[in-house]
Amino acid sequence: MTTSPGASHPAAGETALAGSQARPPLLRVEGLACHFGGVLAVQDATFDVRHGTITGLIGPNGAGKSTVINLISGSTRPGQGSVRFNGDEIAGQRPHEIAHRGIVRTFQQANVFGGLTVLENLLVGAAPWRGERVSAALGRKQAWSATQSGLLDQAWDILRRFGLEGIANDYARALSGGQRRLVELMRALMAQPALLLLDEPMAGVHPALAASIADRLLEMRDAGMTMLMVEHELRLVEKLCDPVVVMARGTVLAEGSMAELQSNQEVVDAYLGGGGGG
Amino acid sequence: MTSGLVYYLSGLAILLGINLIAIWGLDLQFGLAGINNFAYIVFQAAGGYAAALFALKPAKAYGGFETYLGGFNLPFPLPLIGAAAVGGLLAVPVGLIAIRRLRADYQAMAMLVLSLIATGLAEAQTGLVNGPTGLALIPRPLVGIVHVTPLGYNWIFLGLTAGCCALAWWVARGISRSPFGRLLRAVRDSESAVAALGRNPDALRMKVLIAGGALAGLSGGLLVEYVTAWGPSSWLYPETFLFFTALIVGGKGNLAGGALGALLVPIGIVEASRHLPAFGYPGMIDSLDWVVIGACLLVFLWFRPNGLLPERKRVFRAGRQQAGGTQVSGAFAQRLTGSR
């Protein structure tokens, strides 16, 4: 049984949002800057991501949205500025150290392990565990097989939730672009992240599948997961994200609900009226 | 069957075993983790030199016939254990230089350069391992303790090689079937995605470089103790590509594929050419060996890149049924995603 693509869960979302306002933000980005050679990709970017929200990050091409995701996740080192996660400074840390803290990301181009099956992709997504040590590999299989069985159950549950158990043992390299997006999302779910960074999760995805992914994201938000999502499709952003951060030319232009942003002339001029959106 | 033929075949079986250990070590690094270790022969060479130096008496004992560092006259099996340890330890500086910070293609170039430097160093520093002449008179294991015919000794050495093969198989199989092996295969496909999931790809590759290096070192130790001599001409950089060809022909990421490759390439091609009638200029058949090996590599890369016995798919059966949560109907999802 599916939920209608148009049906979100406003009550649960609003409750989560109201609760999150009382807590310090999960992620605080302050004065973040980064340049590639002489090109300033991001400058003085400042915004918060609150608990239990899907915060949208929108802007025209070249606005610096994906660079911000790369800076938060450690893929790119910031030139200056601060990224605080749960109050701890994480700017400049390496990607795996940041992921260890509970920040997991997806990529602009679906980044799956093509030589692994879908199920194996999900198993790699699980948080690091003892069975992955060399000593476990050279020891008795019984020492880690029980934990792996638990992870397999969890992976099968996620696959069933997405209706993809039929491709569990297919190589990820054999999947369509949309399926790869789903695998990446499911793999991120296996990690049970505190903050999920989504870099254009609907890019190149069939609209019907995009609606299905949107429903899954709302379910995840209602279950308490926090997300920061870069997205060009404004109807999806309006459905999913509150608040929304608008970037242009590497800096944060405005922040608020989509309704608020649509009445902001500066935003309309920079993006909404500029035809850069979806 | 004549005793000469039996002696030849037992020697061939020993060489097959030694190559098998080396190829399984490379399979861990290249087949599983995707490391283009074009310096692989250096790990085998280091193991060979280590075994030699641990087994030989000090150079003075041989009347200055050769010059080298050390000469510890250690009993069996310590030289072989030392060979594996040196091969593994060598992975640390090599990994720090070539694995960290460099992209896969530059890693390959760095490895090749390291291989050339190592050969140059061994040849230029005559006091290190007797320069370009190399080491000779390396004691064989258990000689002086067991008193048997040359053929009888071959059987003993074959047993030793088989034991080492079993050890190498246990290490390679354990790693490739484990969650650690799965992580290595993930690193092979996407380093950035592995890092984004909280694992350090450099550390993972370093671990497998050490494990593969130890197997290469062990194979080098066995080889040196069998042939009793070792010099730079035995481990020139093209030898690395002999192992790569064996792995690509047999099938990387598959222990059986590595075994088939070991049988077909270093034993099959090289040994078959020994039985060709001499023709052309002296050394022409040796040169043709490399032409045939190179052609094999290219043909397989073009037409069968996964080898004769490709990596096996790991299939998991469905577990318990889902306890709850929103389900999307399978048919609807297939329509959405275009899956079969």
Side-chain angles (χ1 to χ4, degrees):
Chain A
M1 185 170 151
T2 63
T3 48
S4 151
S8 67
H9 309 275
E14 282 167 12
T15 308
L17 185 60
S20 74
Q21 300 287 1
R23 301 167 67 181
L26 180 64
L27 184 81
R28 170 155 285 173
V29 174
E30 273 184 306
L32 204 59
C34 168
H35 58 87
F36 301 114
V39 180
L40 202 58
V42 175
Q43 53 179 323
D44 198 25
T46 299
F47 63 90
D48 290 343
V49 176
R50 298 202 159 270
H51 288 270
T53 64
I54 304 178
T55 300
L57 193 55
I58 64 171
N61 290 327
K65 310 177 296 293
S66 290
T67 306
V68 165
I69 295 287
N70 288 340
L71 291 168
I72 295 170
S73 65
S75 302
T76 304
R77 291 178 78 89
Q80 62 185 63
S82 161
V83 180
R84 300 188 80 81
F85 179 67
N86 269 330
D88 297 330
E89 182 62 55
I90 59 167
Q93 291 187 358
R94 298 177 70 189
H96 68 274
E97 294 168 335
I98 291 172
H100 248 298
R101 291 173 174 272
I103 300 179
V104 172
R105 67 167 295 180
T106 64
F107 293 81
Q108 204 169 16
Q109 302 286 329
N111 195 345
V112 296
F113 305 119
L116 272 61
T117 65
V118 170
L119 206 48
E120 286 183 303
N121 267 269
L122 266 61
L123 290 174
V124 174
W129 55 294
R130 292 175 63 134
E132 292 173 349
R133 295 178 184 172
V134 181
S135 55
L138 299 179
R140 294 174 65 235
K141 188 182 174 187
Q142 287 82 348
W144 52 264
S145 59
T147 310
Q148 172 153 292
S149 292
L151 293 173
L152 276 168
D153 286 342
Q154 193 184 332
W156 279 109
D157 280 351
I158 291 175
L159 281 164
R160 290 190 190 104
R161 214 162 79 202
F162 281 74
L164 292 175
E165 66 269 36
I167 59 165
N169 285 306
D170 287 3
Y171 278 121
R173 63 172 172 251
L175 305 181
S176 69
Q179 287 173 320
R180 289 179 190 210
R181 289 256 173 231
L182 285 173
V183 169
E184 210 184 14
L185 190 59
M186 290 187 294
R187 193 176 64 193
L189 282 183
M190 278 294 287
Q192 301 180 333
L195 173 62
L196 179 57
L197 308 174
L198 299 161
D199 196 354
E200 299 190 37
M202 320 293 185
V205 172
H206 186 278
L209 179 56
S212 172
I213 293 176
D215 288 339
R216 302 288 84 74
L217 295 179
L218 287 171
E219 286 173 10
M220 287 151 58
R221 181 203 64 188
D222 294 345
M225 190 178 290
T226 307
M227 286 165 264
L228 174 63
M229 183 172 81
V230 171
E231 184 52 54
H232 277 293
E233 177 55 65
L234 294 183
R235 278 169 299 183
L236 283 169
V237 173
E238 188 167 16
K239 176 184 170 184
L240 296 173
C241 303
D242 190 12
V244 176
V245 177
V246 184
M247 290 189 72
R249 294 177 298 279
T251 193
V252 173
L253 206 60
E255 184 177 346
S257 67
M258 277 301 276
E260 291 165 349
L261 294 173
Q262 278 162 352
S263 60
N264 183 326
Q265 192 56 44
E266 200 181 5
V267 171
V268 172
D269 289 345
Y271 181 43
L272 298 175
Chain B
M1 199 180 287
T2 64
S3 60
L5 183 60
V6 173
Y7 183 82
Y8 169 73
L9 290 176
S10 61
L12 213 54
I14 290 168
L15 291 178
L16 173 64
I18 290 170
N19 280 307
L20 196 52
I21 296 167
I23 287 165
W24 280 341
L26 181 62
D27 195 28
L28 288 178
Q29 297 179 350
F30 172 65
L32 215 56
I35 302 170
N36 294 313
N37 184 0
F38 290 171
Y40 191 69
I41 193 67
V42 178
F43 292 81
Q44 193 187 39
Y49 281 124
L53 296 178
F54 287 138
L56 281 164
K57 294 175 184 168
K60 284 179 189 169
Y62 303 102
F65 164 72
E66 48 192 355
T67 54
Y68 49 83
L69 278 179
F72 300 100
N73 195 23
L74 296 179
F76 171 81
L78 295 179
L80 287 178
I81 293 170
V86 167
L89 286 173
L90 181 66
V92 177
V94 171
L96 288 175
I97 294 167
I99 294 289
R100 286 170 60 90
R101 294 177 174 271
L102 296 183
R103 266 180 11 208
D105 42 2
Y106 289 110
Q107 282 174 14
M109 290 162 67
M111 294 287 195
L112 195 55
V113 166
L114 285 175
S115 186
L116 295 170
I117 290 173
T119 315
L121 197 68
E123 287 183 340
Q125 295 295 320
T126 51
L128 204 60
V129 283
N130 205 36
T133 313
L135 299 171
L137 304 177
I138 299 161
R140 285 182 149 185
L142 304 174
V143 165
I145 298 173
V146 292
H147 301 282
V148 289
T149 62
L151 179 60
Y153 186 81
N154 254 18
W155 290 125
I156 291 172
F157 205 96
L158 184 58
L160 170 65
T161 306
C164 291
C165 281
L167 177 70
W169 176 83
W170 174 71
V171 170
R173 183 173 178 270
I175 289 177
S176 63
R177 287 191 168 191
S178 70
F180 174 63
R182 184 165 56 232
L183 279 184
L184 293 174
R185 289 187 290 125
V187 169
R188 179 184 67 188
D189 286 352
S190 174
E191 179 186 334
S192 58
V194 167
L197 292 166
R199 277 76 162 196
N200 183 351
D202 291 342
L204 290 167
R205 278 190 300 228
M206 181 63 94
K207 286 172 190 169
V208 80
L209 202 65
I210 290 171
L215 292 186
L218 177 63
S219 74
L222 274 173
L223 183 59
V224 165
E225 296 218 315
Y226 182 62
V227 300
T228 72
W230 194 236
S233 61
S234 308
W235 52 277
L236 296 173
Y237 76 91
E239 300 289 337
T240 293
F241 294 98
L242 186 71
F243 295 137
F244 269 90
T245 305
L247 207 48
I248 286 165
V249 168
K252 57 184 167 27
N254 182 341
L255 294 182
L260 182 61
L263 188 65
L264 293 178
V265 180
I267 300 299
I269 294 177
V270 176
E271 282 304 311
S273 70
R274 287 190 209 281
H275 302 288
L276 289 176
F279 65 94
Y281 57 85
M284 188 168 177
I285 291 177
D286 286 345
S287 302
L288 280 178
D289 270 357
W290 286 110
V291 172
V292 173
I293 290 165
C296 267
L297 181 64
L298 292 175
V299 166
F300 271 82
L301 285 177
W302 268 82
F303 299 108
R304 202 174 169 92
N306 294 322
L308 294 170
L309 298 173
E311 184 174 294
R312 289 179 188 157
K313 185 192 272 190
R314 277 76 169 171
V315 175
F316 294 97
R317 286 182 293 110
R320 63 179 165 76
Q321 291 302 302
Q322 184 187 14
T326 308
Q327 286 202 17
V328 182
S329 86
F332 180 69
Q334 283 176 9
R335 203 167 64 242
L336 288 176
T337 60
S339 64
R340 288 166 295 282

